[in-house]
Amino acid sequence: MNDRLRHESLTRLLEVAAEHQVNGPAALARALNESDQVVTNWGRRGVSKVGALNAQRLFGISSTWILNGTEPKVVAAPEFSSLPEPSLDAAIARIARALDELPDAAREQAGSLLQALSLAPDSKRLQASLSTLLNSTKL
């Protein structure tokens, strides 16, 4: 989308995201756990209230500032870590450790969810189900 045709709220959000090494709409979508299409829609219609609140939590930037430019811009320390994303090997190792902690029945369910995710890696529902299952054994 042409920058001058992009909604001002998305322009503000992309500028803040870039300060945290989240560059471009696709990277922003991943950071906020949104689909690329949602962020594309924000370019036309403006960032949603939920999107602005998620960005506030992640980047420490006021949702009101994102939506309409009203100061103050910064409201809190961001939860965002500037550390690079873990490698695929590290992510697989973390999942394997979490699977080891599950009872056998839950491990089978997790295997089914992982198989489904391999076919639909952007499925928020499957990601949430797997996350809930893996976190259910934590004390």
Side-chain angles (χ1 to χ4, degrees):
M1 174 174 282
N2 188 331
D3 284 349
R4 57 172 218 264
L5 299 178
R6 182 181 289 150
H7 196 277
E8 292 174 1
S9 61
L10 181 59
T11 299
R12 283 189 289 273
L13 181 52
L14 285 169
E15 288 171 2
V16 167
E19 293 170 7
H20 294 277
Q21 288 72 48
V22 175
N23 296 306
L28 178 63
R30 283 190 303 276
L32 294 175
N33 200 27
E34 293 287 356
S35 70
D36 290 349
Q37 185 61 46
V38 166
V39 174
T40 298
N41 289 343
W42 291 349
R44 289 188 209 103
R45 300 180 192 127
V47 176
S48 69
K49 290 178 184 177
V50 170
L53 289 170
N54 287 336
Q56 176 176 308
R57 177 189 49 77
L58 188 65
F59 300 122
I61 299 300
S62 165
S63 60
T64 303
W65 180 82
I66 292 167
L67 294 172
N68 59 32
T70 303
E71 297 287 338
K73 179 179 176 182
V74 178
V75 294
E79 290 182 10
F80 183 82
S81 169
S82 61
L83 297 174
E85 288 188 26
S87 69
L88 180 58
D89 291 338
I92 290 170
R94 285 183 57 206
I95 292 171
R97 282 192 303 275
L99 289 172
D100 283 343
E101 297 175 8
L102 292 175
D104 289 339
R107 192 175 306 129
E108 288 177 22
Q109 184 181 2
S112 296
L113 287 168
L114 283 168
Q115 186 175 16
L117 269 168
S118 73
L119 300 172
D122 294 332
S123 170
K124 304 273 188 260
R125 182 185 59 77
L126 290 172
Q127 291 171 9
S129 295
L130 181 61
S131 180
T132 299
L133 181 64
L134 293 176
N135 289 324
S136 68
T137 61
K138 301 203 176 173
L139 302 176

